[in-house]
Amino acid sequence: MPQPPQPPQPRIPGSAVRRVPVQGPQSVPTVREALLTREQAADHARSAGQDSDQRSHAVRCLIRAQLRLALTLGVGFFCTVVLVALLLVSTGVGALTVWGVPLAWAIPGVGFFPVLLGLAYWYRRRAEANERLWAETLGLHLKQAGR
């Protein structure tokens, strides 16, 4: 099937092909946007311009809240480990033995795991609360895990 002739493209001197500037997306698409068909994406692109600033601000706030939570727990746990280690080394408490094992070995080897599990559980609950608040801000409905 013959194609109709194309109008001549303006040429850049010294170039064999016309240069066209290409722009990528201005923001990272959401999961919902990534799963749209071409027709749905075209409709969404026409209507998404108004609230994209609000969404991008909300996403930045969520990322900041999650980072603040992670850093707070990480730094807090690190400080606790350092303080306990200093306490065990600088005082005579580390020389005490329980079932033949010095406390300087038993506390870091066994005692920190329940603390880590508790912090992980608390972090997960707080992170999910942050995400629920973010979804409510944008008017989205998140599916509950395990339900």
Side-chain angles (χ1 to χ4, degrees):
M1 201 195 281
Q3 294 191 358
Q6 298 290 329
Q9 298 279 334
R11 304 267 178 185
I12 298 174
S15 172
V17 181
R18 180 175 173 250
R19 300 180 103 184
V20 178
V22 177
Q23 292 183 350
Q26 301 300 319
S27 64
V28 176
T30 63
V31 173
R32 180 188 293 164
E33 292 169 345
L35 296 176
L36 295 176
T37 63
R38 284 184 188 263
E39 293 82 24
Q40 292 170 333
D43 292 338
H44 178 73
R46 283 190 283 276
S47 65
Q50 297 97 10
D51 65 343
S52 64
D53 290 336
Q54 178 191 8
R55 283 186 180 199
S56 63
H57 176 70
V59 169
R60 282 194 301 272
C61 289
L62 174 65
I63 290 171
R64 257 186 257 123
Q66 301 292 52
L67 181 61
R68 186 179 319 114
L69 177 62
L71 287 175
T72 302
L73 289 178
V75 169
F77 182 71
F78 178 77
C79 290
T80 302
V81 168
V82 169
L83 288 174
V84 168
L86 286 174
L87 177 78
L88 291 173
V89 171
S90 65
T91 63
V93 176
L96 297 175
T97 60
V98 176
W99 296 303
V101 178
L103 280 181
W105 286 60
I107 290 177
V110 178
F112 288 144
F113 288 108
V115 174
L116 276 175
L117 288 174
L119 287 175
Y121 177 75
W122 190 73
Y123 175 80
R124 194 188 108 232
R125 289 190 54 208
R126 288 303 316 147
E128 288 175 350
N130 287 343
E131 290 171 3
R132 277 193 303 276
L133 180 64
W134 172 76
E136 289 172 8
T137 302
L138 293 179
L140 302 173
H141 301 285
L142 298 179
K143 292 181 181 177
Q144 296 293 326
R147 292 184 185 175

